[in-house]
Amino acid sequence: MSDEQTGAPESSAVRVALWRAMHLEADPPPHVLEDEIGRQLAAPDDDWRRRPDMDPRATSGFRASIVARARFIEDLVAEQADRGVAQYVILGAGLDTFAQRRPEIASRLRVFEVDQPGPQAWKRRRLAELGYGVPDWLHLVPVDFEASESWLEQLTAAGFDPGRPALIVSTGVTMYLTQDATAATLRQIGGLAPDSTLAMTFMLPPELVDDADRPGLRASAEGARASGTPFISFYTPEEMLAEAREAGFKDARHVSGAVLAERYFANRTDGLRPSSGEDLLLATI
């Protein structure tokens, strides 16, 4: 999944960070999300803008989807913090930069970033090199999923309190996991404290994707396969809601890409809209 010798982040994590940066460069204001720190962390070659997967027009839908889901999550974090929830867990954190960009919110929380040991050690070094460091409210939690380590045990050892409400977020992960693995994760989260909330993205089956977006989805799937991280799991909204309810969530809602498009892109005049294909589960314990 990552470069075992260098600990470098997965190519998908770098791509997401660069799309967030490209949004600022290729799309006119108002910007849905402002994030240049992910690009600084990734430190791509000078010609990164000329990469085929950064083509401003061809990948605009994917870029819009990435910034839409990130903005939705950040709005949710702010909302939960205002409700008094003090723990925020990011599963598969990758090059997430919320803690660096929004310290006025993050510093009110205990933020836990869960990721593989190699990429996380790499990120810790890059944060130090860029002068951000790791403040005492930010906890980088290494979990070796390939060695079957329990993320919840490691999270608790890092200071997470399973007896207190938390916001748990997982974006861009479920398509790489077996459905059994995702169901197990849902059961673990479903056993946390009442009033905890989960936001998790999932990929729709190709037949539920808009016709215009299917070629892009196929290209994305082929690229993931070529890089050794194939998409293996797809869910209809009904299937994902059923999984959540079976895992013990008392309230489970489907947030479609169309909802995010209407919320964050409705008044744009440049035609920028998220592509279809990835939706969100929003569930409460």
Side-chain angles (χ1 to χ4, degrees):
M1 297 280 283
S2 62
D3 188 316
E4 294 182 0
Q5 293 183 329
T6 68
E10 297 175 9
S11 60
S12 58
V14 172
R15 186 180 304 112
V16 165
L18 296 184
W19 272 337
R20 294 198 301 258
M22 183 60 78
H23 176 51
L24 292 177
E25 297 195 13
D27 305 319
H31 294 118
V32 176
L33 186 84
E34 297 188 4
D35 182 8
E36 292 184 327
I37 297 174
R39 176 189 55 77
Q40 295 170 11
L41 283 171
D45 295 336
D46 291 341
D47 64 350
W48 69 272
R49 296 168 185 82
R50 292 190 289 274
R51 289 171 39 160
D53 59 356
M54 291 297 123
D55 183 281
R57 290 188 178 182
T59 64
S60 65
F62 292 121
R63 181 171 70 247
S65 295
I66 290 300
V67 297
R69 81 182 188 193
R71 173 64 182 275
F72 177 84
I73 295 300
E74 293 200 4
D75 288 350
L76 181 62
V77 175
E79 174 188 305
Q80 292 288 307
D82 287 344
R83 288 183 53 240
V85 173
Q87 300 185 110
Y88 174 34
V89 179
I90 310 169
L91 298 180
L95 297 182
D96 189 276
T97 59
F98 170 75
Q100 292 74 47
R101 289 181 300 102
R102 303 297 304 275
E104 75 282 2
I105 300 176
S107 61
R108 296 160 52 195
L109 308 167
R110 303 192 74 189
V111 181
F112 299 87
E113 295 190 10
V114 179
D115 212 338
Q116 291 275 23
Q120 191 160 83
W122 177 94
K123 185 176 184 180
R124 184 184 291 273
R125 289 195 300 272
R126 290 295 295 142
L127 287 172
E129 290 166 0
L130 291 171
Y132 291 104
V134 180
D136 57 8
W137 44 262
L138 175 60
H139 306 268
L140 304 184
V141 186
V143 178
D144 190 343
F145 297 102
E146 294 171 3
S148 299
E149 287 187 352
S150 167
W151 64 268
L152 187 53
E153 287 180 8
Q154 297 296 99
L155 187 63
T156 303
F160 176 78
D161 184 352
R164 298 180 63 195
L167 171 63
I168 302 94
V169 166
S170 172
T171 60
V173 174
T174 59
M175 71 280 269
Y176 301 115
L177 305 178
T178 65
Q179 294 195 3
D180 285 346
T182 294
T185 298
L186 285 169
R187 286 194 298 271
Q188 287 179 300
I189 297 170
L192 295 178
D195 294 326
S196 292
T197 298
L198 167 68
M200 174 182 280
T201 63
F202 60 95
M203 290 197 72
L204 299 172
E207 62 271 17
L208 295 186
V209 177
D210 293 346
D211 290 346
D213 295 329
R214 289 182 189 177
L217 177 61
R218 283 195 296 270
S220 180
E222 290 167 3
R225 188 180 304 110
S227 65
T229 55
F231 298 163
I232 59 176
S233 294
F234 302 83
Y235 300 85
T236 67
E238 293 76 18
E239 288 170 340
M240 183 54 77
L241 290 172
E243 292 275 5
R245 292 178 183 124
E246 188 171 331
F249 289 88
K250 67 179 182 182
D251 177 53
R253 290 189 287 139
H254 165 226
V255 181
S256 70
V259 167
L260 299 189
E262 184 62 27
R263 179 176 298 184
Y264 299 120
F265 296 83
N267 297 318
R268 297 191 70 91
T269 59
D270 58 357
L272 182 67
R273 299 280 288 188
S275 59
S276 59
E278 184 179 65
D279 285 0
L280 274 151
L281 166 71
L282 186 60
T284 304
I285 301 167

